[in-house]
Amino acid sequence: NTSEESLKIEDQEEISGIIEEIKENTNDTGKESINDQPTNINDYIIVKFHHKNAEENPSVVYLYKDKNSSYVEQPYSGIWKLREETFDEISGKLIK
């Protein structure tokens, strides 16, 4: 989060694959997300989905680890536990 490095993925199949991986490998924690970004988390990956016809207003999710578990957080939507292998696979694609 502090490096300001970014990677832009435009290949629709790759984007769909990342979304599908997140969708299939999460469990709802029942916790609410009540902030613009994760709190008390030092390192996280910001994933912005720029939708057609809404380029200036992307959907944002955060991927991070906390207490040996991996999570996906969408601000004001929810927090989901993410399988460790899936976190590692996605972060490996996004962080070069």
Side-chain angles (χ1 to χ4, degrees), residues 6-9 11 13-22 25 45 47 63 85-96:
S6 67
L7 169 67
K8 186 173 186 176
I9 300 172
D11 180 72
E13 284 187 32
E14 191 171 356
I15 294 167
S16 294
I18 291 170
I19 293 170
E20 201 59 34
E21 284 181 61
I22 291 171
N25 294 291
I45 298 169
V47 181
L63 305 178
E85 300 84 17
T86 305
F87 177 90
D88 292 342
E89 187 174 328
I90 292 171
S91 62
K93 287 179 185 177
L94 301 177
I95 300 173
K96 305 279 179 184

Side-chain angles (χ1 to χ4, degrees), residues 1-3 38 40-45 63-66 87:
N1 97 17
T2 57
S3 70
N40 301 318
I41 303 296
N42 292 328
D43 296 312
Y44 48 81
I45 298 169
L63 305 178
Y64 59 88
K65 292 187 179 191
D66 185 31
F87 177 90

Side-chain angles (χ1 to χ4, degrees), residues 4-5 7 12 15 20 22 32-33 45 48 51 56 58-60 65 67-68 71 75 79-80 82 91-92:
E4 297 298 324
E5 289 183 36
L7 169 67
Q12 292 302 309
I15 294 167
E20 201 59 34
I22 291 171
E32 292 182 1
S33 174
I45 298 169
K48 294 181 181 180
H51 307 282
E56 299 304 315
S59 298
V60 177
K65 292 187 179 191
K67 298 179 183 142
N68 298 320
Y71 296 93
I79 301 171
W80 297 267
L82 181 64
S91 62

